[in-house]
Amino acid sequence: MKCPVCACSLVRSQYEGVNVFKCHQCVGYLVQSRRVEDICRRDTNSPEELQQEISQSGDNNLQLRCPRCRRLMDKEDQPGTATFALDRCRSCEWVWFDSGELARFQIRYEATAQGRDAARFRKRSRQMTPEEQRVFEHNLANLPDGDSSLASAIGDGLVESLRGFLSELLRR
């Protein structure tokens, strides 16, 4: 596949542990829509690394073609302190992030209530003793219909909040 901005070859890469395609020339990323939230929920990159990535950014105003299916991509304005537009292919559900946009998107997510809750859960999870982790995992496994059914029924964000609540109960 070719970069929709500079026509260089896209290379398989990882961003926050998620498989993506990267252009090493313009430092843009092509990501499956369903994987974008996975990236936001990870905290592998430090805030400093994200800020450095943003400092090297530049949003394009061009109408881009999807590297996968070659159809025109839609521009989606992203609200926030630094407004930018994502390029999304409605046909094959891929998103193009210009240089720095993925870091902006991630920082914006981390500023939401859901992002802060997820960060608190990750922190508590890292601080649990092995016994607390064992009890937590046992309790989580015994939730009705299993974690995946629960997540699809009530949403991933609520499941993360529920995990945090259960973790807090276990600490008492």
Side-chain angles (χ1 to χ4, degrees):
M1 285 188 295
K2 299 289 184 184
C3 172
V5 175
C6 64
C8 291
S9 292
L10 296 176
V11 178
R12 287 184 190 268
S13 184
Q14 288 206 339
Y15 189 95
E16 292 280 0
V18 174
N19 291 327
V20 298
F21 289 94
K22 180 179 181 179
C23 176
H24 289 287
Q25 178 76 25
C26 69
V27 196
Y29 291 93
L30 183 66
V31 183
Q32 289 178 320
S33 292
R34 63 186 173 83
R35 302 298 299 196
V36 172
E37 197 167 323
D38 294 340
I39 290 172
C40 289
R41 289 186 179 163
R42 312 265 173 115
D43 64 349
T44 306
N45 293 339
S46 70
E48 294 79 23
E49 290 171 312
L50 294 174
Q51 286 299 332
Q52 181 181 359
E53 192 176 324
I54 289 171
S55 71
Q56 303 166 357
S57 67
D59 193 14
N60 77 69
N61 295 322
L62 304 171
Q63 181 75 43
L64 301 180
R65 290 200 173 270
C66 175
R68 301 273 302 172
C69 69
R70 304 300 303 151
R71 292 195 174 128
L72 288 176
M73 300 177 91
D74 293 335
K75 292 264 186 210
E76 291 182 358
D77 288 332
Q78 301 298 305
T81 56
T83 302
F84 59 98
L86 295 182
D87 300 281
R88 181 182 303 271
C89 179
R90 298 283 176 206
S91 298
C92 60
E93 295 298 318
W94 285 76
V95 180
W96 176 257
F97 290 89
D98 291 314
S99 175
E101 288 180 348
L102 198 47
R104 285 182 184 169
F105 200 80
Q106 189 169 7
I107 286 173
R108 192 185 75 195
Y109 171 80
E110 290 172 359
T112 66
Q114 184 179 359
R116 289 188 302 271
D117 287 346
R120 280 193 297 275
F121 172 72
R122 285 190 302 267
K123 183 179 178 183
R124 276 189 293 229
S125 176
R126 286 190 291 262
Q127 294 171 343
M128 290 174 116
T129 66
E131 177 61 19
E132 288 172 328
Q133 287 178 346
R134 187 190 63 73
V135 170
F136 172 75
E137 289 170 7
H138 172 77
N139 290 342
L140 192 58
N142 289 321
L143 285 173
D145 298 321
D147 183 31
S148 62
S149 296
L150 184 64
S152 65
I154 63 176
D156 291 334
L158 191 52
V159 168
E160 282 192 339
S161 295
L162 181 58
R163 286 179 176 152
F165 174 72
L166 286 173
S167 177
E168 193 62 38
L169 283 177
L170 291 172
R171 298 183 83 129
R172 294 181 185 168

